[in-house]
Amino acid sequence: MTEEITFILNNELISVKINPAVVLLDFIRKQIHLTGTKEGCKEGDCGACTVLIGELKNNKLEYHSVNSCLLPLGNVNNTHIVTCRCTGYTSIKRSVNNVLNKFNSDEHKEVERISFLIKNNILPDYFTGIAERLGKLQAENSNEQNGKAKYFVAGGTDLYVQKPDEFLKQQITFIKDKNLSYIKVQDKICRVGAGTSFEMIKNSSVFQKLFPQLKSFMDLMASLPVRNSATIGGNIINASPIGDMTIFFLALNASIVLNNGLKYRKILLQDLFKGYKKLDKTDDEYLEQIEFKLPSENSHFNFEKVSKRKHLDIASVNSAIYLEVVNETIKEVHLSAGGVAPIPLYLEKSSNFLLSKKIEIETLNDVLSIIQSEISPISDIRGSEEYKRLLLNQLFKAHFIELFPELINVKALT
């Protein structure tokens, strides 16, 4: 299967018929021979393959760092790809710091950045015309796809680690072409397009207002290049038992909208997962949107995660909680956990037990046995069954220590 892929690579217009499932790294190195972009882990971990991707959004040119080892060519149509490295990390870090110091000076804080970088010989002159060239590409090139797809691919940051070769043999539909990158609020409902990236959520003024600790939560979820590519829809449909954003949205009692091209279907997110990697979804359906009601004035939300490394690592166990509290009494609660079952888990029995209970040590101690009865962790590379059971107990306590320090005596709880 081949498609016409058109984009700008540095200053060169690339138009090639190629399998859109081929990753950008392989194309850059093997066909264009720009070997300064390195092949390291091929898992999005080491950063040796990092490139910039520039996209024209609302007539504004925006650049983000991405891992080219996980980026299929089908996702680079009508973009500007910049390869930026042929040396060691120390000199790159020093150069970046020098640029940042220039921007941080008072006289340069409000300048148009690309023009400033060109003027100071940091970027080549051709960057001046990139926005206009991308505008023409968008007008000239349609990304419509024909045929029935076996796979719907969004960011690809996990799928291309698991089975990249399989995609080369299959018909693929790229979610990017469906314009599902958005965050909207209407009638007290927040709607998030399935193509919305992790980093878009992190930088969203809507989410930052709703969840004041959002940035600290999101910094625990992958690296910046991965967050720039990874989508909320992909995280959910991938159905990993430890998917960070899936656990986040489960605690918001979110719903999802599935679309097969002819009709829509709306279900609770917690009802999507039927077993390990088994979903209440037909092969021709794709996830279009995630919805949740706006938190009330009396609401509290927290996300906790434990992994072998604090950053750039997948969870051993993660958990999130949403509560509405009036006069120290829980009026609504949704508790989720990952890494403790074959699926991302909504803890229904534990949530129901907490309803109408006072926030006090006795309540928290009483619910721990219910939590343990709802989970079924297994021993694996991320920890033993016993360790994961202990972790979830501790994360549950951490929710209340973080959210209600005035009500919970830490020493008494631990």
Side-chain angles (χ1 to χ4, degrees):
M1 182 192 71
T2 63
E3 291 182 10
E4 187 82 19
I5 304 294
T6 304
F7 62 102
I8 301 171
L9 178 59
N10 297 323
N11 194 28
E12 180 182 357
L13 178 64
I14 301 291
S15 186
V16 60
K17 279 191 174 293
I18 194 169
N19 189 327
V22 171
V23 293
L24 178 62
L25 174 65
D26 290 344
F27 180 78
I28 289 173
R29 289 183 59 84
K30 297 175 182 179
Q31 298 199 35
I32 308 298
H33 306 296
L34 293 176
T35 53
T37 304
K38 307 298 183 183
E39 180 176 320
C41 65
K42 269 213 162 182
E43 294 184 352
D45 197 30
C46 70
C49 70
T50 302
V51 298
L52 290 180
I53 183 169
E55 300 179 81
L56 202 59
K57 297 181 178 180
N58 299 318
N59 296 317
K60 182 180 179 182
L61 186 56
E62 298 180 1
Y63 285 93
H64 306 285
S65 58
V66 293
N67 297 114
S68 62
C69 71
L70 303 178
L71 185 66
L73 284 171
N75 275 342
V76 303
N77 255 322
N78 304 332
T79 68
H80 181 210
I81 300 296
V82 184
T83 61
C84 52
R85 72 184 305 267
C86 59
T87 184
Y89 290 107
T90 300
S91 55
I92 292 173
K93 185 176 180 180
R94 183 171 60 245
S95 298
V96 170
N97 283 332
N98 289 339
V99 173
L100 291 176
N101 288 335
K102 284 181 178 290
F103 277 128
N104 288 335
S105 63
D106 290 336
E107 60 182 306
H108 299 310
K109 281 185 177 179
E110 303 301 325
V111 298
E112 201 286 316
R113 294 194 169 191
I114 291 180
S115 298
F116 173 80
L117 292 171
I118 293 171
K119 181 180 178 181
N120 285 270
N121 298 315
I122 297 169
L123 289 181
D125 290 342
Y126 71 74
F127 272 80
T128 302
I130 292 296
E132 182 179 355
R133 292 170 69 184
L134 288 184
K136 290 181 179 179
L137 287 185
Q138 288 182 354
E140 294 170 358
N141 299 316
S142 169
N143 291 336
E144 291 183 6
Q145 298 169 325
N146 299 313
K148 188 173 182 180
K150 180 177 179 180
Y151 290 107
F152 294 95
V153 174
T157 53
D158 194 59
L159 290 178
Y160 270 85
V161 173
Q162 295 179 32
K163 43 189 174 185
D165 294 337
E166 186 174 340
F167 292 140
L168 298 174
K169 308 170 187 176
Q170 303 293 342
Q171 179 82 25
I172 293 176
T173 291
F174 291 96
I175 294 297
K176 179 181 178 182
D177 298 336
K178 296 184 178 296
N179 299 317
L180 297 179
S181 299
Y182 58 81
I183 298 170
K184 303 175 181 177
V185 175
Q186 185 178 15
D187 300 327
K188 297 185 178 180
I189 300 292
C190 183
R191 295 175 172 87
V192 183
T196 304
S197 72
F198 281 35
E199 194 66 9
M200 286 178 63
I201 291 176
K202 177 183 176 182
N203 294 325
S204 162
S205 59
V206 171
F207 271 79
Q208 289 176 11
K209 183 178 180 180
L210 295 177
F211 309 103
Q213 300 301 316
L214 179 73
K215 287 191 174 183
S216 64
F217 301 154
M218 299 296 291
D219 282 341
L220 299 176
M221 302 179 190
S223 64
L224 176 60
V226 169
R227 291 199 305 268
N228 280 330
S229 294
T231 65
I232 176 57
N235 195 250
I236 288 173
I237 295 301
N238 186 41
S240 168
I242 49 175
D244 289 323
M245 286 306 294
T246 305
I247 298 304
F248 185 99
F249 279 99
L250 276 172
L252 294 174
N253 199 32
S255 299
I256 61 171
V257 176
L258 299 167
N259 186 350
N260 68 359
L262 297 174
K263 61 181 180 180
Y264 299 89
R265 186 164 63 93
K266 183 175 177 179
I267 62 173
L268 282 173
L269 175 58
Q270 61 184 274
D271 293 335
L272 176 66
F273 309 106
K274 298 303 181 183
Y276 180 71
K277 300 284 186 174
K278 294 181 180 179
L279 305 177
D280 179 14
K281 185 185 83 70
T282 59
D283 289 342
D284 59 349
E285 287 180 317
Y286 63 89
L287 175 57
E288 179 165 299
Q289 184 170 273
I290 300 93
E291 304 177 357
F292 64 93
K293 72 173 185 178
L294 297 185
S296 73
E297 293 182 357
N298 301 315
S299 68
H300 306 266
F301 183 88
N302 193 48
F303 173 85
E304 297 285 344
K305 173 179 177 177
V306 173
S307 52
K308 290 193 173 182
R309 297 179 304 193
K310 182 175 181 181
H311 298 287
L312 311 184
D313 204 2
I314 55 179
S316 295
V317 175
N318 50 14
S319 178
I321 194 168
Y322 172 88
L323 303 112
E324 293 181 7
V325 178
V326 178
N327 295 328
E328 302 179 8
T329 300
I330 299 171
K331 299 299 183 181
E332 183 173 345
V333 57
H334 303 286
L335 178 63
S336 63
V340 292
I343 62 174
L345 191 61
Y346 177 81
L347 294 164
E348 183 177 9
K349 293 179 181 178
S350 303
S351 298
N352 289 339
F353 176 84
L354 288 169
L355 277 176
S356 302
K357 299 292 194 305
K358 283 278 191 180
I359 296 178
E360 53 192 9
I361 298 293
E362 291 75 13
T363 298
L364 304 190
N365 286 331
D366 289 344
V367 79
L368 291 178
S369 61
I370 300 175
I371 289 175
Q372 292 298 315
S373 72
E374 289 198 82
I375 65 176
S376 54
I378 60 172
S379 299
D380 58 21
I381 194 171
R382 289 181 289 276
S384 66
E385 174 189 349
E386 293 77 13
Y387 175 66
K388 293 177 183 179
R389 286 185 177 277
L390 175 62
L391 273 185
L392 184 55
N393 273 6
Q394 298 303 94
L395 294 187
F396 175 74
K397 296 174 184 178
H399 289 316
F400 287 86
I401 293 171
E402 178 69 24
L403 295 175
F404 307 101
E406 72 284 0
L407 299 177
I408 300 299
N409 183 300
V410 176
K411 292 183 177 180
L413 185 60
T414 55

